[in-house]
Amino acid sequence: QVKLVESGGGLVQAGGSLRVSCAASGRPFSYFRMGWFRQAPGKEREFVAAINWSGGNINYADSVKGRFTISRENAKNTVYLQMNSLKPEDTAVYYCAAAPANNMGVWSSWGQGTQVTVSS
C-alpha cells in the first residue's frame, strides 16, 4: 500500500476552476495506477478519473469529460485533478486512490479526502 494525502480543496463559484493534489509516500509512486473519486452528501462514492503510471492511459467519468484533467508527476510522487467549468453538482469530497500495477482493478489505498464546494 501507499499513503495518500489530498490537498487543494475549497470553495469556488460555479464556472470557476480548482486544482486538487494528492501526494503519495511509502512505495515507488510509478508502480501505481492513480485515480480520483468523489462522494456527495447522501450519495455513493463515484469514479471521476484515472491515470496509469506513464500517463498514456487516462479515463474519465462522462460527467466530467472535457472539464476535468487528471495528470501526474512521478518525480514528485503527486497526482493532480484540474477542474474547470465547475458546477454545483461537482460539490463533493474528493478522494485520491491507488491501484498497484499487478492488480490495477483494485483500489487498495485511499486518502482522507478534500472538500470541494461549488456555489451557484
Side-chain angles (χ1 to χ4, degrees):
Q1 290 191 341
V2 61
K3 181 180 179 181
L4 303 173
V5 179
E6 300 96 334
S7 61
L11 174 64
V12 63
Q13 288 188 334
S17 298
L18 201 62
R19 189 177 79 163
V20 290
S21 303
C22 172
S25 61
R27 290 199 64 181
F29 183 64
S30 60
Y31 178 74
F32 293 91
R33 179 183 184 221
M34 301 299 298
W36 286 97
F37 293 75
R38 67 186 182 186
Q39 188 168 18
K43 295 187 177 182
E44 292 189 353
R45 190 173 299 187
E46 64 174 1
F47 169 78
V48 175
I51 185 169
N52 74 329
W53 71 275
S54 68
N57 189 329
I58 293 175
N59 304 101
Y60 294 101
D62 287 344
S63 59
V64 306
K65 278 182 182 176
R67 300 189 298 122
F68 290 12
T69 302
I70 188 172
S71 62
R72 64 191 294 166
E73 286 190 75
N74 289 339
K76 294 185 177 181
N77 293 344
T78 303
V79 62
Y80 307 97
L81 185 68
Q82 176 67 44
M83 302 180 287
N84 298 330
S85 302
L86 282 161
K87 305 174 181 179
E89 51 263 44
D90 294 318
T91 294
V93 177
Y94 283 71
Y95 296 92
C96 175
N102 62 354
N103 201 354
M104 287 190 291
V106 178
W107 300 101
S108 56
S109 299
W110 293 86
Q112 83 289 350
T114 186
Q115 177 70 47
V116 172
T117 302
V118 184
S119 62
S120 57

